[in-house]
Amino acid sequence: MNQYDVVIVGAGHGGAQAAIALRQLGFEGSIAIVGDEPDLPYERPPLSKDYLAGDKVFDRLLIRPESFWRERGVEMLLGRRVVAIDPEAHEIATADNISIGYGHLIWAAGGTARRLGCAGNDLRGVHTVRTRADVDRMMDELTQVERVVVIGGGYIGLEAAAVLTRLGKSVTLLEAQDRVLARVAGEPLSRFYEVEHRAHGVDLRLGVAVDCIEGDDRVTGVRLINGSVLAADMVIVGIGIVPAVEPLIAVGAIGGNGIAVDAQCRTSLPDIFAIGDCALHANAFAGGMSVRVESVQNAHDQAAVAAKTIAGHDAKYDAVPWFWSNQYDLKLQTVGLSAGYDAVVLRGNPARRSFSVIYLKQGRVIALDCVNATRDYVQGRRLVVDALSPSLDQLRDENLPLKALTA
Ligand SMILES: Cc1cc2nc3c(=O)[nH]c(=O)nc-3n(C[C@H](O)[C@H](O)[C@H](O)COP(=O)(O)OP(=O)(O)OC[C@H]3O[C@@H](n4cnc5c(N)ncnc54)[C@H](O)[C@@H]3O)c2cc1C
């Protein structure tokens, strides 16, 4: 049986960063990363942006080249799925029956794309966007595709719609709620993106529910609850993820919709950490509520905390959340978590395609969404970190730089 001082499950953003951080901290023990995808760790955000658009080749997505891992003695066990954990014996088992022993285990398994529960969800031509393989399959079909229906008006669905429109496809986007981005942003941002997508030719439909996907072998259309059918050669489902946590939950780790971790990213099981999309943690920027944050920032910063703790340093996860999304020529930068806001300020004019939405809770700034407004994003960060309480008029006043409110 192979034995390593640290075994990392998941060769994604968090897993890669945990190994990088351990070596940067001078950790000299043995490290292995076990990942079920065949590829070295790569950046996931371009999958719905430059990579889908054909603007970036896969090699440019790699987080580090193969030589980096070799030179630092990080063993890559790829194409292997971990299916069981024995926390007492400090062992994991893969689907191909390999047992691997660990001193510390870092669970960085992310999540799988949530699939539709309705009939036809597994027809050819129905795609999700989580892995390189997902997007490669989609791209292989694209030349044969004219009409695409995107289900889900979250960031991934919107980004895919933007790329496919640019590629000349006829795109319909269906959102069950009455606005896009309803789960993550305030109404001004939702309405702005709705206008943009429509202006770029997306047939955006709000408040619609899908009944089933139609087709014999391959998808031919999407039937809505109201009985109408939208013809489609391809369907892209962007309705969130299911955190990959089963092997840990099966052996009693506390959690459910994610693995519960403390401020050092330790799970309730001895010597097992969890980080990234699958880690349910009390986030100071969510008022201490337990949340899973699906972002590169969160995966990276939690990886650093787990690595420091394993290497014997003091560490605590309290990083300010940030995120970005690229659609058309629009760069959205977000800082903070807006969930639970009770007031919203619009700073700037969406018609000029450069503005910020500022969220407050009980008078304190909790988040900013900045569209083509990097200066606000950079200067507004302090407002969130220090939970400052400028007046709404001050925040609204574009002539007043946000840094003036943080002095
Ligand atoms: C299309 C797309 C666009 C995105 N855009 C942005 C963006 O613009 N900005 C941003 O901040 N974030 C973005 N994200 C989110 C970001 O990519 C994730 O938050 C980040 O990848 C989380 O890192 P992670 O290490 O937790 O999980 P992942 O990067 O998903 O890595 C987990 C890895 O573990 C593997 N795995 C799962 N189960 C097992 C198992 N049992 N055994 C072995 N391996 C396993 C998975 O296959 C995967 O390779 C995007 C995500 C997607 C899919």
Side-chain angles (χ1 to χ4, degrees):
M1 182 183 72
N2 290 332
Q3 171 80 35
Y4 301 88
D5 294 311
V6 176
V7 171
I8 298 167
V9 179
H13 277 277
Q17 196 55 38
I20 292 170
L22 279 166
R23 289 298 185 230
Q24 280 172 345
L25 290 162
F27 180 80
E28 289 178 350
S30 52
I31 303 176
I33 299 185
V34 191
D36 61 358
E37 292 185 70
D39 298 299
L40 288 171
Y42 59 89
E43 290 174 33
R44 234 166 265 287
L47 293 180
S48 51
K49 308 178 182 74
D50 323 31
Y51 186 66
L52 177 61
D55 293 340
K56 244 186 194 176
V57 294
F58 181 72
D59 277 1
R60 289 192 51 210
L61 268 48
L62 289 179
I63 289 174
R64 292 288 189 280
E66 193 271 332
S67 57
F68 176 93
W69 306 110
R70 193 170 10 92
E71 285 161 12
R72 281 156 188 78
V74 176
E75 190 147 346
M76 288 288 172
L77 305 172
L78 301 175
R80 298 222 142 90
R81 180 161 191 76
V82 174
V83 291
I85 300 174
D86 182 340
E88 302 280 301
H90 280 51
E91 264 176 52
I92 57 172
T94 65
D96 53 347
N97 284 322
I98 293 179
S99 294
I100 303 168
Y102 62 83
H104 288 98
L105 183 73
I106 302 179
W107 189 262
T112 47
R114 190 180 293 281
R115 300 193 66 92
L116 290 170
C118 64
N121 72 71
D122 53 355
L123 286 171
R124 282 198 306 124
V126 179
H127 298 271
T128 52
V129 194
R130 182 71 193 176
T131 64
R132 175 207 187 169
D134 290 340
V135 178
D136 283 352
R137 267 193 299 272
M138 203 184 296
M139 289 166 85
D140 281 349
E141 293 177 16
L142 271 181
T143 50
Q144 316 291 327
V145 165
E146 173 55 31
R147 295 154 305 185
V148 183
V149 173
V150 178
I151 299 177
Y155 284 120
I156 289 177
L158 292 174
E159 288 179 351
V163 170
L164 294 169
T165 305
R166 207 189 102 196
L167 295 177
K169 308 301 172 192
S170 155
V171 180
T172 303
L173 189 142
L174 308 177
E175 167 55 50
Q177 304 217 39
D178 61 358
R179 62 185 177 92
V180 299
L181 299 174
R183 199 172 59 88
V184 289
E187 186 159 352
L189 197 81
S190 303
R191 298 303 177 214
F192 171 76
Y193 276 107
E194 289 162 9
V195 169
E196 280 291 328
H197 280 274
R198 287 186 171 128
H200 282 87
V202 175
D203 177 0
L204 180 69
R205 305 193 188 187
L206 302 170
V208 286
V210 171
D211 181 17
C212 65
I213 310 292
E214 295 198 332
D216 288 329
D217 170 32
R218 205 187 149 80
V219 58
T220 56
V222 176
R223 178 178 291 273
L224 305 181
I225 292 286
N226 67 13
S228 62
V229 178
L230 302 166
D233 313 310
M234 175 182 278
V235 169
I236 297 176
V237 181
I239 54 171
I241 65 165
V242 180
V245 296
E246 305 83 1
L248 278 174
I249 297 290
V251 290
I254 294 174
N257 176 33
I259 294 293
V261 295
D262 66 12
Q264 284 69 42
C265 299
R266 286 184 290 237
T267 69
S268 58
L269 299 173
D271 300 321
I272 302 183
F273 294 71
I275 60 173
D277 283 10
C278 65
L280 192 62
H281 63 279
N283 193 303
F285 294 90
M289 288 208 339
S290 271
V291 290
R292 283 191 308 101
V293 176
E294 296 170 18
S295 72
V296 170
Q297 168 277 318
N298 177 68
H300 276 198
D301 289 336
Q302 289 191 329
V305 168
K308 279 185 188 154
T309 307
I310 290 171
H313 300 277
D314 284 341
K316 181 176 177 231
Y317 185 64
D318 57 5
V320 60
W322 55 266
F323 183 82
W324 76 96
S325 171
N326 300 335
Q327 295 165 51
Y328 309 109
D329 58 344
L330 301 165
K331 185 173 179 65
L332 168 72
Q333 293 165 292
T334 290
V335 58
L337 297 173
S338 60
Y341 64 88
D342 55 28
V344 174
V345 171
L346 183 58
R347 178 179 165 89
N349 183 355
R352 288 203 315 267
R353 306 178 86 239
S354 167
F355 66 100
S356 300
V357 181
I358 305 178
Y359 303 86
L360 298 96
K361 188 174 180 184
Q362 293 166 356
R364 298 186 182 281
V365 176
I366 57 167
L368 285 89
D369 283 325
C370 307
V371 176
N372 290 346
T374 298
R375 204 164 60 139
D376 279 359
Y377 171 71
V378 172
Q379 297 187 2
R381 195 181 169 87
R382 242 337 348 122
L383 295 173
V384 176
V385 173
D386 294 340
L388 297 179
S389 355
S391 74
L392 303 192
D393 282 341
Q394 284 176 313
L395 290 169
R396 202 172 286 121
D397 182 357
E398 282 184 273
N399 296 317
L400 197 57
L402 290 181
K403 71 173 173 207
L405 306 179
T406 62

